[in-house]
């Protein structure tokens, strides 16, 4: 047995996920490019290390970074996790990355004798903090069985969908719907408000209808109160996911007209300069297109995650 668990990437998601592992009594060594984000985890019991190479002796290393290129960089670039002579046994990547990038990473890791499990997740940082993520894996089933107890410490539900990169397809499909649903939810909310229905009342009606979901409930407070500075997921990350969806559809010969229209709308939001804000700012852009200036409603509404 090598030296426990390692973690690379302590952004919104990584930080919340590591805290679940730590509170499940797992010893974790952590590294983040911006060291200031890693240091506070020491008080939760994490061992903060100054370089990725310090995690190379770990049995299992989790990664949660932004894009395919970022994952390649933390693994293979100079000073990367597997660039030295000591290597971890297993890498479990939880980032949302491309199918092709993931397959290339698998081939490179396996050639180095490092096993690889893709485990993208559904749920934002607040969901992760509550231990309510959905985690979906693909790769060797025996490997999944081995790391499942760690996944269970972070999730309400853990699933294995098959070999290879299938979990990437799952996540890409999932996040394509994530984009299409917010696009349509914003469109119909603007329609209702322009006609005279207060936003929070309209959103509550959707939440109570057959169309309501955990997702529509999570987004109701921000869509009502317009507090986009409480970031769950950025416009740029959503654009990355819509692009992954469109590229995968093209590769498989699948027509996705609703996703294509949403991709353009999200690209326009990013192009208009929305950056370090919540992606729900899409509502403001759709309202502007309708000649509607929105105001915060300043209402107390639960996102369903408080209990
Ligand atoms: N937020 C969500 O609701 C959500 C939900 C499900 C899945 N995801 C996916 O999860 C992943 C992380 O999302 P997030 O919201 O946690 O993003 P985030 O807050 O922007 O954090 C990104 C993390 O990746 C690190 N990173 C990025 N590029 C790097 C590089 N080249 N080298 C080293 N470290 C690098 C960042 O380090 P620094 O701190 O130094 O910048 C940070 O720790 C993304 O793939 C996203 O699509 C997000």
């Amino acid at each position: 047995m090598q030296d426990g668990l390692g973690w690379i990437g302590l952004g919104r998601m990584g930080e919340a996920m590591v805290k679940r592992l730590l509170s499940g009594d797992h010893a974790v060594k952590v590294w983040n490019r911006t060291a200031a984000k890693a240091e506070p985890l020491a008080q939760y019991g994490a061992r903060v290390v100054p370089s990725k190479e310090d995690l190379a002796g770990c049995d299992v290393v989790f990664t949660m970074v932004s894009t395919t290129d970022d994952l390649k960089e933390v693994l293979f670039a100079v000073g990367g996790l597997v660039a030295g002579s000591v290597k971890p046994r297993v890498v479990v990547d939880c980032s949302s990355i491309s199918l092709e990038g993931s397959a290339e990473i698998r081939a490179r890791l396996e050639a180095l004798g490092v096993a690889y499990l893709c485990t993208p997740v559904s749920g934002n940082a607040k969901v992760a903090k509550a231990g309510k993520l959905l985690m979906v894996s693909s790769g060797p089933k025996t490997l999944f069985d081995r790391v499942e107890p760690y996944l269970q410490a972070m999730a309400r539900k853990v699933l294995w969908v098959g070999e290879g990169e299938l979990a990437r397809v799952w996540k890409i499909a999932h996040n394509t719907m994530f984009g299409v649903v917010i696009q349509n939810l914003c469109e119909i909310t603007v329609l209702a408000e322009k006609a005279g229905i207060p936003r929070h009342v309209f959103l509550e009606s959707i939440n109570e209808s057959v169309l309501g979901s955990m997702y529509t409930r999570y987004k109701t407070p921000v869509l009502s109160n317009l507090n986009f500075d409480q970031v769950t997921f950025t416009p740029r990350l959503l654009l990355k996911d819509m692009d992954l969806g469109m590229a995968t559809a093209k590769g498989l010969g699948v027509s996705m007209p609703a996703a294509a229209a949403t991709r353009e709308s999200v690209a326009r939001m990013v192009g208009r300069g929305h950056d370090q804000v919540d992606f729900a700012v899409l509502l403001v852009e759709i309202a502007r297109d309708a000649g509607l200036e929105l105001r915060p409603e300043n209402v107390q509404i639960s996102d369903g995650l408080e209990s």
Side-chain angles (χ1 to χ4, degrees):
M1 180 78 173
Q2 279 170 282
D3 186 16
L5 303 181
W7 193 286
I8 293 177
L10 297 163
R12 277 176 292 274
M13 295 299 289
E15 187 224 10
M17 291 166 75
V18 164
K19 282 182 179 165
R20 294 298 305 186
L21 276 178
L22 292 167
S23 65
D25 268 349
H26 297 289
V28 193
K29 285 187 191 172
V30 301
W31 177 87
N32 194 57
R33 178 178 58 182
T34 307
K37 289 190 201 165
E39 280 146 18
L41 281 164
Q43 74 193 68
Y44 293 87
R47 186 155 152 225
V48 181
V49 297
S51 80
K52 296 177 283 281
E53 285 160 314
D54 294 323
L55 303 177
C58 292
D59 188 33
V60 179
V61 177
F62 288 86
T63 50
M64 189 52 154
V65 294
S66 305
T67 66
T68 308
D69 286 344
D70 298 322
L71 181 58
K72 285 183 190 170
E73 190 180 328
V74 299
L75 294 175
F76 305 115
V78 177
L81 178 69
V82 299
S85 54
V86 180
K87 297 182 193 350
R89 290 219 173 104
V90 178
V91 168
V92 179
D93 176 61
C94 301
S95 324
S96 305
I97 67 164
S98 74
L99 197 56
E100 299 74 20
S102 187
E104 182 195 326
I105 287 164
R106 175 180 305 284
R108 290 175 74 178
L109 284 175
E110 289 178 354
L112 294 168
V114 180
Y116 174 63
L117 195 73
C118 317
T119 306
V121 310
S122 169
N124 63 29
K126 200 167 173 188
V127 176
K129 196 172 161 199
K132 291 185 178 173
L133 288 177
L134 165 64
M135 304 188 78
V136 176
S137 296
S138 66
K141 178 70 164 58
T142 47
L143 183 56
F144 170 75
D145 291 341
R146 193 170 148 213
V147 303
E148 193 184 355
Y150 306 130
L151 306 180
Q152 292 288 4
M154 296 183 273
R156 84 184 144 77
K157 180 81 184 173
V158 174
L159 288 169
W160 179 80
V161 289
E163 299 290 336
E165 289 11 272
L166 284 177
R168 303 299 184 190
V169 181
W170 165 78
K171 178 63 182 171
I172 288 166
H174 172 282
N175 272 29
T176 299
M177 183 171 173
F178 188 84
V180 170
V181 170
I182 193 73
Q183 171 72 29
N184 188 243
L185 188 64
C186 290
E187 289 172 7
I188 59 171
T189 302
V190 166
L191 175 72
E193 180 164 356
K194 196 160 185 195
I197 305 176
R199 280 198 305 285
H200 70 280
V201 174
F202 177 71
L203 289 162
E204 187 184 355
S205 76
I206 293 292
N207 292 339
E208 292 297 330
S209 82
V210 70
L211 300 171
S213 66
M214 279 162 83
Y215 183 37
T216 64
R217 282 187 282 280
Y218 290 165
K219 298 319 287 181
T220 289
V222 67
L223 292 174
S224 303
N225 296 331
L226 311 183
N227 44 352
F228 304 114
D229 53 337
Q230 290 174 25
V231 184
T232 61
F233 192 60
T234 61
R236 203 171 288 280
L237 283 176
L238 180 57
L239 179 58
K240 173 202 66 165
D241 287 347
M242 295 310 296
D243 281 337
L244 289 173
M246 295 317 299
T248 308
K250 191 173 169 196
L252 290 169
V254 177
S255 163
M256 302 207 296
T262 301
R263 189 266 165 206
E264 294 308 309
S265 172
V266 172
R268 184 179 52 177
M269 160 172 67
V270 170
R272 286 182 179 169
H274 296 294
D275 189 10
Q276 288 306 315
V277 290
D278 194 79
F279 68 100
V281 77
L282 186 62
L283 180 77
V284 172
E285 290 300 338
I286 292 172
R288 275 198 192 123
D289 293 342
L292 191 64
E293 242 357 276
L294 301 181
R295 296 206 192 315
E297 294 185 319
N298 299 323
V299 285
Q300 287 277 340
I301 312 175
S302 167
D303 61 10
L305 275 169
E306 306 303 342
S307 60

